[in-house]
Amino acid sequence: MDKILIAEDRYGLKAIHLEEDDLIDRLNNRFTVLGLIMCISIIAGGVLVGKPINCWTPAEFKDPHSGYANSICWLKGSYYLPSEEITIPDRSIPRTYFVSYYQWTAFILLGMAMFFLLPQYIWHAFIRQSGVNTQRLIKTIKDQPDADKGVESAQSSLKLFLDAQYMLKGEICCGYHCSNFYFGYTIMYFTVKALYVINTMTQFFLLNAFLSFNFTSFGPQGINKIFTEGDWFESPRFPRVTMCDFMVRRLGSNQHWYAVQCTLPINMFNEKIFLGIWIWLIVLTILNILSIIPWIISLTRKQRLATIGKYLKMNKTLSEEKETFSSSTPMSPYEMHKFS
């Protein structure tokens, strides 16, 4: 509950928009996921509706043979050959810029979206088993027509849990007895925060492997093209024009090899999408790290007392008892135990 109140205060959220996580968490598990789904829709539309690859074929290739060339080059991949190279290298020589990711772009983006949802899933799995389901408390407040009744219902549920924990002198967290009831929530929430940081940083290394080129250095070069009006057409990472080698078997033992030139219009979208992803991952990593700092500060004894004092002042029903509470009334054993 303290997590809900602090998040509401820190990011200016109102009672009609209560959330169980903060703005940076939602940038990870909502806005980023929605953005990736939009990118998947663009790529899938280009593949299913448009023509993602189109290969130039010799005159002897007539329909449906030209369609076969498009299909096999799409499936097996192609390679980038700089325009200044006049001769096509022998097929026995390993290709320097082999391009084979475009068939899997939508699946790569889908996997990224699932990784961004994983920390939130872990958090929800924890709170469902912990005794206080903050997600359900938030829903209770939102679903009540009268906001005050919703808050009272949530307070009643929270009080029952606190009383039970006080009677049990703590709770069992991860197999260990914790003297403070909020210890498990604190550890788990910081674990989730750390997972968001690890996720965004790990995405760079995974994309390096999936895209088969150094994705980490792709961003500065792409940004430089934007500001210098560089040539987007000639790109070894996301080439628009590639070469494709394939073999056709005919009757007898004859094997006919062909080297055809193909265009990849889909890479016009891929390059912009992955440049945006590179920039967003950098920004999100910085925001994830910075978002941990206010939560660390909020756990200090001084800050916790200040937060509780603030909400006591906001409660009109306790305004008359505030001075008695702060000056003459001693703390209950549970309150002394909480702030010790």
Side-chain angles (χ1 to χ4, degrees), residues 19-32:
E19 300 288 351
E20 61 167 337
D21 50 8
D22 63 26
L23 176 61
I24 307 303
D25 293 343
R26 292 194 292 279
L27 285 178
N28 285 270
N29 57 49
R30 296 189 192 180
F31 298 107
T32 301

Side-chain angles (χ1 to χ4, degrees), residues 203-216:
Q203 298 276 4
F204 281 102
F205 299 101
L206 292 178
L207 289 174
N208 282 339
F210 289 142
L211 299 179
S212 301
F213 64 79
N214 190 359
F215 178 74
T216 308

